[in-house]
Each structure stands twice: as structure tokens, then as C-alpha cells.
Amino acid sequence: MAFHIHPLERKWLYAASAAIAIFLASILLTALFGGIHPPGHMEIIDSARLHLDGEFMEDKLGVRTEPDGSVRVTLVAARYGFFPREIQVPAGTPITFRIASADVLHGMHAPMTNLSTMVVPGYVSTVTTAFPKPGEYPMLCNEFCGMGHDHMWSKMTVVSKESWTLAHPSAGR
Amino acid sequence: MIDKPTRFLALCHFWVAFGAFALACVLGLYQVLERSGLVPAIQSPGVYFASVSTHGVLMAFVLTTFFIMGFGYVVAVSSLKTPLWNPKLAWAGFGIAAFGVALAALPLLTGNASVLYTFYPPLQASVLFYLGATLLVVGSWLWCVVMIVMHSQWKAAHPDETVPLPMFATTANAILWLWTSAGVALEVLFQLIPWTLGWVETVDVGLARTLFSWTLHPIVYFWLIPAYIALYTFVPKAAGGELFSHDLGRAAFLMLVVFGLPIGFHHLYMDPEQGSGFKLMHGVGTFLVALPTLLTGFTVIASMEIAGRRRGGSGLFGWIGALPWREPLVLAAILAFLMLIAGGFGGIVNASYAMNAMVHNTAWVSGHFHLIFAGTTVILYMAVGYYIWPRLTGKPLCSASLPVIQLWSWFLGMVLMTTPWHILGLLGQPRRISSVAYNSLLTLAWDPYELAMIVGGLVLTGSALLFAYILWQSQARPAAEQAFEVEYAGYQPADGPVHPLLNGFKVWNVAILGLMVLNFGYPILQFFLAKTFGSIPWGY
Ligand SMILES: [Cu+2]
């Protein structure tokens, strides 16, 4: 009783394993040493009480510049939009988005960028990215959330770093 | 020839499968037309999302489950050369599953279950939908029992022999399905049904998504294994050769079962309710499960080379031209590989931990899984259909050329439909929208691709209806019954039976249990350790 492996098959087994090892090595290197991870960290929130207190109350939503110059965007996803509906952020700057759903499952994606996350009721989504190019980007809902799903999007304008600094002189540097 | 009652049992399964398939294709055509926005009269999110939900359920649950059950009975009886064990149980499985489908069809077709085949709580469907889906799964469990019992009875009666490869793979699939379906069964029985009946007020969406991801990846191997069985055991013979090797084929099926199960989190890369560590762990497993597919590609192509050279082909590539391209099984295998290569490339992008953000939930994903499932898998289901029909009906196919035309048109339609989807995905188009309503310059770039998608949908629907027509015509025409045997590709082992590890499942079940506890234990437990907040039901 033995494993019967043809010599050619053995070579292919090694070649295929090597290809997979290369893929895995590049993923593990960027993740463990480059710190590149998809969003996700199990942060719990009561989606039914977002409007009552905390960072997702209506008057606290929007774009804020932190003392270290980084930018934080707080959004609520609810049928059918990401609130506030229009935001402006600087190009070439790390921006942290924090998003919570007030109702059902949503997803947010800005085409041609790597801003993407699911928004799951009961959990806070956090995703950090930087936009190299100024321009107007739609933030689309990319998860079916009801009959108005097609119309669920908000507008993000990415402005050049210079005009952002002019408009927000108080931001730390 | 297979005994008459078993042939009738299998035919009933295949007709439910292929009937569901034809209907789902027509719905698919409506969907590409609707979402293009070119025919304003049919624009309707209500009808569209009801249609998408029905299309998904029919393709992913009905076509697959009934095809796999019918094919399993044929494989068991013909490869083990024993009568079917407990036909009453097999019929009970068919009846329960078919009743479940009918129960789920009521809310689906009336727009009362437009929650897509992935369920998506806290959107809530009619309870009939969840009950119907549960019964479909329960029916398929009875099939699993029949397969596993037949496998072990044969082994007990033939202690020193090797279980035939097709039956070994079928039993592997039955075991895989029992493990796989447990995740969604837990979600439906303990979360969705009590919540829909109002016994509990809220549902934890994070837990529900985690349980669904348990099922969502290995289910594709449940669908794929019958296609691989055809590649390993029907195609080499149809090409005029034999199986290149045998033991690594068995290892490939085992690897699909063991590695395929604990990797569902690559569907949750973008989700907030699981941490990076577990996502990365599942990501590593996702790449490991590419190995059995790479091995299968090698073995099957090598088997076809043997056949091509035997038929007079020479040179590095000359054997390819010498293959019998008009033989449906051979043609389907070649086209399936082409689609598998393209779809596999897309899959590597999806599975890549960080790159996933670019394409998550875009049309790219629809393009990917239509290539792998509707392309690679279903084209082999069709070829199996053509091979098996004379062996079930006792009548030859009504035409030799129509199946060839049908398989080519299916391939062409897939290329026409999935190429624009891949491009649209890279341009950021979401996969599940019924119209493009974004008032943005970026999204204007999507328009030209909508047209190619519609042409693809038309070709595919025509091809699907032709497929159903050929089967119907072959069965219905008057002809004297002849005896056609189901035969499997030969392989001569070098020395004696295979290693016991490649002839049974005990050790592998323990390995799966360990991997499942490791990869899903804490990620599920965390919802009970922390105070989470559930969601009330929402309409749509
Ligand atoms: Cu939404």
C-alpha cells in the first residue's frame, strides 16, 4: 500500500505549491509588515440608539481635523444615504472613516479608490485610506438594502492638499 | 444498464434541476435588460429584486442540489454495481426537498422574499421562504445518508479493495455537504425562523453573517465536485484515453473537503464584526484550497493528452487538435478549463486579503462567480446531462450536432456577459443594483458595457432553452429502448490498493473538526461573550 505519484505529477505538485507560497508570502508580508489590513475589529454599538448619544449623534457627524493633521470622517448609513450627504476631504492625507448603520445592512464604496467597507447594524466600521487624486467621487451603497438601494449614494469631494490647508489654517502640522 | 426504478428516480431529480435552471436563465435575461435601463417600460426595483432573489435560489440551491442528488444515485448504483440502498428514503429526500422548493417559491415569486439567496437579515422575508429552504436542505441530508451508507456497506463487503474513484468522490461530497450546510442550518433554525415568527425580537446580524459565511464558501465545492467527477472519470474515456493517475485525484477530493470548509471569512474581509487575525487565517486557507484545483487541471489535461496522442496527434500541441472536439464531454471540458482559468484569476484577486477592497461587491464578483459556477460547473452539468440521458431513458440523443452548438453558445454567452462585468467591476459598479441612478461623471463610463451584457444574456438564454429542448426531444420521441452502460475511465494502479488514508474519511472528519474549531470557534463564541445588540426586523 503506497501513494502512487507519477514523477511529472510530483514536479507539478512542487510547482503549484511554490506558486501558492509566493502568493501567500506577498499577502503575509504586506499584512504583517506593511500593516495593510481590510477594515474590521469587532466594535459593538447599539444601532437603535445612534441618535441619542455618542459620536454618531446628528450634530457630531461629518469631517473633523485631528491635532496631528489627520482627518476623521464620521458617517451614519441609513436608508437611503450616507449622512452627511456631502463631504469634503483633502487629497494625499490619511483619512479615517467611522461608519455605523441606523437600520439594515449597507456597504460603502467609492469607485476608483480603495475606500470600501461593509456597514453592519450593531457594529462600527472603521477604515483608513488616502486619496491621491482630487476630484468628485460618489460614495455608493454596494449592498442590497431595500427598494431604494439604487439611489443610496452621497457625494465626496477630494480637494488638493494646498486648498485644504488654506481653508483649514488651524489644522496642526 | 441501471435498473428502471433508479433511472426514474434520477430522471425526476434531473428534470427538477434543469427545469429550475431554464426558468432561472429567463429571469437572468430580464435582469440584464432591466438594469441596463434601455427599456423604460420594464424598470421596477420590486420586480427586479424579486427576480434576482428567485434566480439566485433556483441556480444556487435548486439546480445544484437536485442535480447532485440525481447524479449521486447514478454514480452509486453504476460504480459500486449494487442496487440502491433504501429507495424509499431516497424518494422521501426528493419529496421533502421538492416540497421545500414549492413552499419557498410562493413568497419568492410574489415579492415576499426579496432578500436575495444570501438572506441578508435584518431584512425579513416571509417565514415560508425560510421553512422552504430548510426543507430543501433536510431533503438533501437524506441523500447524504444514502450515499454514506452505500459507501460503507460496499467497503465492509470488499475489505481489501479500493472504493471506485467516482463513489469515493461522491461520498466525500456527501460528507462535505453535511459539514457545510450546518452553518446556514444553525442560522435559519436558531436565528431567522424564531425571529420571523416573533418568538424573539431581534437578530444578531454579525453572528448571522458569520454562520452564513461558514456555508457560503464550501457550498461551491459541493456544486463543483460532480463536475470534477465528470472530468476525472467520464472525460478521459470520452476522449479515447484513460486516467493519467489516480491517487492524487483522490487526494484532490479530500483536500477540497478538508481545506474548503474552514475558510469562509474571505467573504467577510470587508465586514466589521470579525478581526484581522481570523480573516488572515481564513485567507491563508483560501489559497491552500487552490492546490486541489491545480492538481485536477494537471491530471485531466494529462489524461486528454494521452487520448490525443493515441488518436494520432503529435508535437507539443498537436494532440489538442486530435481530440474529438465534437464529443460533448470533451468539448465541455476544454471550454470549462478556459473559463476556469479566467475565473480562477479573478478569484485570486477576490481572495487577496488587501486587494479585495477594490472589487468587493462590485460587478467583478458577479463576473467571477458566473465564470466559475455558470461557466465551469454548469457546462459540465450539461455535458453530464448529454452523457447520462441515453443511459437513463434508453434512447440515443435526438441529434449529435445540436449539443455541440449548445455548448459553444453557452461559452460564447458567458464570455460576452462576464467580460463587461469584470470591467464594470474595476470601474466600481455595484453588483446588486436595478438601475444606474448615480448623478456622477465617473459612472457615465459604465454605459457602453451594458449593451454587451444584454447580448450575452440573450445568447445564454437561447442556449439554456436549447439544452432543455434537446433533453426533452430525446426523451419524448418514440424509439426502441436500448441498453447504454455508464462506464468510467480506467486506471491501472502500479502496485496494489491505495493507501487507507485515500480510501476512507474517519481521519479527515477529525481533521475538519479540529480546523473548524480553530477557525470558527472563537469567532462564533465572541458574540456570546460580549454584549451585542441585535436588530429588529425591517421590510424592504
Ligand atoms: Cu444601502
Side-chain angles (χ1 to χ4, degrees):
Chain A
M1 276 184 279
F3 295 107
H4 310 113
I5 300 182
H6 192 283
L8 268 179
E9 212 169 36
R10 188 182 299 274
K11 276 187 197 153
W12 173 250
L13 185 61
Y14 291 150
S17 306
I20 290 172
I22 292 170
F23 287 141
L24 279 178
S26 48
I27 289 172
L28 289 173
L29 282 176
T30 51
L32 300 177
F33 299 102
I36 297 176
H37 293 282
H41 58 302
M42 183 65 178
E43 184 182 341
I44 293 160
I45 195 162
D46 187 353
S47 277
R49 302 175 57 87
L50 291 182
H51 57 294
L52 297 179
D53 52 48
E55 66 177 298
F56 293 101
M57 285 170 71
E58 200 174 348
D59 55 343
K60 298 201 176 148
L61 300 178
V63 184
R64 208 172 69 203
T65 312
E66 304 285 1
D68 65 356
S70 68
V71 176
R72 166 187 283 238
V73 181
T74 311
L75 298 171
V76 164
R79 296 200 286 195
Y80 290 106
F82 297 96
F83 301 93
R85 294 297 301 264
E86 289 194 25
I87 58 168
Q88 219 178 62
V89 294
T93 311
I95 302 169
T96 298
F97 289 82
R98 286 181 53 79
I99 314 167
S101 167
D103 43 43
V104 298
L105 196 61
H106 300 280
M108 191 175 81
H109 178 55
M112 312 311 283
T113 78
N114 55 13
L115 172 60
S116 174
T117 183
M118 295 296 295
V119 186
V120 179
Y123 304 87
V124 180
S125 300
T126 304
V127 53
T128 302
T129 190
F131 304 103
K133 274 195 217 134
E136 264 191 23
Y137 296 84
M139 291 188 292
L140 315 176
C141 178
N142 68 3
E143 192 54 274
F144 173 63
C145 56
M147 291 304 151
H149 169 54
D150 301 351
H151 301 272
M152 179 158 172
W153 63 284
S154 295
K155 198 158 97 185
M156 172 172 69
T157 310
V158 178
V159 299
S160 70
K161 209 166 178 177
E162 295 74 44
S163 46
W164 177 265
T165 325
L166 280 176
H168 301 79
S170 61
R173 222 159 311 158
Chain B
M1 194 161 177
I2 303 171
D3 64 284
K4 201 154 191 171
T6 307
R7 285 193 274 145
F8 181 62
L9 174 73
L11 274 173
C12 288
H13 281 83
F14 284 135
W15 270 121
V16 175
F18 294 142
F21 167 70
L23 174 60
C25 282
V26 174
L27 294 175
L29 177 60
Y30 157 76
Q31 286 154 219
V32 284
L33 273 175
E34 200 274 1
R35 86 180 260 163
S36 72
L38 292 176
V39 193
I42 58 168
Q43 289 289 110
S44 157
V47 179
Y48 181 85
F49 288 114
S51 176
V52 172
S53 302
T54 312
H55 174 88
V57 169
L58 288 177
M59 289 293 197
F61 297 146
V62 183
L63 161 65
T64 51
T65 309
F66 280 88
F67 179 89
I68 292 163
M69 293 198 290
F71 186 53
Y73 295 131
V74 170
V75 166
V77 169
S78 61
S79 73
L80 299 180
K81 301 191 169 58
T82 53
L84 185 68
W85 177 76
N86 206 337
K88 278 200 186 116
L89 194 67
W91 276 111
F94 175 81
I96 292 171
F99 178 66
V101 171
L103 212 56
L106 294 172
L108 276 168
L109 294 173
T110 51
N112 290 305
S114 300
V115 296
L116 309 185
Y117 86 100
T118 36
F119 298 172
Y120 285 156
L123 296 180
Q124 196 178 63
S126 154
V127 73
L128 292 183
F129 173 65
Y130 303 120
L131 286 175
T134 306
L135 290 177
L136 172 60
V137 172
V138 169
S140 70
W141 285 345
L142 299 187
W143 170 81
C144 294
V145 171
V146 176
M147 292 300 109
I148 291 170
V149 169
M150 287 187 75
H151 176 268
S152 46
Q153 283 184 345
W154 190 91
K155 264 186 88 171
H158 304 79
D160 297 320
E161 289 177 48
T162 306
V163 181
L165 178 61
M167 188 57 196
F168 182 74
T170 300
T171 313
N173 206 18
I175 290 171
L176 170 78
W177 181 234
L178 288 175
W179 278 104
T180 301
S181 52
V184 70
L186 290 172
E187 180 194 356
V188 173
L189 291 178
F190 293 104
Q191 289 196 283
L192 300 185
I193 289 179
W195 170 68
T196 307
L197 292 175
W199 298 344
V200 293
E201 276 177 14
T202 63
V203 67
D204 186 332
V205 182
L207 175 60
R209 288 179 67 73
T210 301
L211 290 174
F212 199 83
S213 80
W214 162 339
T215 298
L216 195 52
H217 195 69
I219 197 174
V220 306
Y221 300 116
F222 174 59
W223 305 334
L224 197 60
I225 282 179
Y228 277 16
I229 294 175
L231 285 177
Y232 275 101
T233 65
F234 289 156
V235 170
K237 198 169 183 77
E242 63 198 25
L243 190 56
F244 173 78
S245 80
H246 175 257
D247 290 21
L248 271 196
R250 300 168 89 87
F253 283 110
L254 286 170
M255 277 190 250
L256 285 179
V257 177
V258 176
F259 293 151
L261 268 156
I263 57 174
F265 283 8
H266 63 241
H267 294 268
L268 300 184
Y269 280 155
M270 293 298 127
D271 270 43
E273 77 276 4
Q274 294 296 345
S276 303
F278 279 104
K279 286 181 184 173
L280 199 52
M281 241 162 88
H282 285 233
V284 170
T286 305
F287 276 87
L288 292 182
V289 83
L291 191 60
T293 291
L294 290 168
L295 289 179
T296 300
F298 178 85
T299 308
V300 176
I301 291 170
S303 308
M304 293 214 275
E305 186 184 344
I306 294 176
R309 295 204 185 281
R310 204 170 278 177
R311 299 171 69 93
S314 60
L316 200 52
F317 297 112
W319 59 271
I320 298 176
L323 288 171
W325 282 68
R326 296 178 60 81
E327 180 64 48
L329 274 166
V330 176
L331 176 62
I334 295 169
L335 300 177
F337 274 126
L338 292 176
M339 292 187 277
L340 183 63
I341 292 167
F345 168 77
I348 289 175
V349 174
N350 299 339
S352 294
Y353 187 63
M355 230 185 322
N356 181 271
M358 307 278 298
V359 294
H360 176 76
N361 262 351
T362 66
W364 171 281
V365 176
S366 322
H368 160 71
F369 72 72
H370 276 79
L371 273 180
I372 295 282
F373 175 66
T376 311
T377 307
V378 169
I379 206 169
L380 283 163
Y381 284 12
M382 289 166 169
V384 167
Y386 291 137
Y387 176 75
I388 221 135
W389 225 243
R391 283 145 187 89
L392 297 179
T393 62
K395 299 170 189 175
L397 287 184
C398 62
S399 156
S401 54
L402 282 182
V404 177
I405 296 170
Q406 189 272 319
L407 293 172
W408 272 111
S409 59
W410 187 254
F411 173 71
L412 177 73
M414 271 299 151
V415 172
L416 286 173
M417 193 174 70
T418 58
T419 310
W421 282 353
H422 279 92
I423 299 171
L424 283 168
L426 292 178
L427 295 173
Q429 185 176 98
R431 59 193 268 209
R432 281 155 165 171
I433 45 171
S434 72
S435 60
V436 175
Y438 314 117
N439 184 19
S440 157
L441 279 176
L442 266 182
T443 64
L444 282 179
W446 298 348
D447 287 351
Y449 300 99
E450 305 278 347
L451 212 60
M453 186 188 327
I454 295 174
V455 178
L458 275 170
V459 175
L460 286 169
T461 308
S463 178
L465 296 177
L466 179 58
F467 173 65
Y469 168 80
I470 296 169
L471 295 187
W472 179 257
Q473 192 60 21
S474 303
Q475 190 174 349
R477 73 199 177 120
E481 213 173 89
Q482 307 169 31
F484 295 95
E485 298 298 334
V486 180
E487 289 170 332
Y488 299 94
Y491 174 76
Q492 297 302 321
D495 50 356
V498 297
H499 195 280
L501 276 179
L502 297 182
N503 204 33
F505 300 97
K506 275 205 191 82
V507 179
W508 302 115
N509 273 315
V510 176
I512 293 170
L513 179 65
L515 284 170
M516 288 301 281
V517 169
L518 192 66
N519 278 13
F520 276 98
Y522 180 76
I524 290 175
L525 200 62
Q526 65 168 352
F527 296 102
F528 300 94
L529 296 175
K531 158 122 187 75
T532 57
F533 298 92
S535 290
I536 55 162
W538 293 82
Y540 37 82

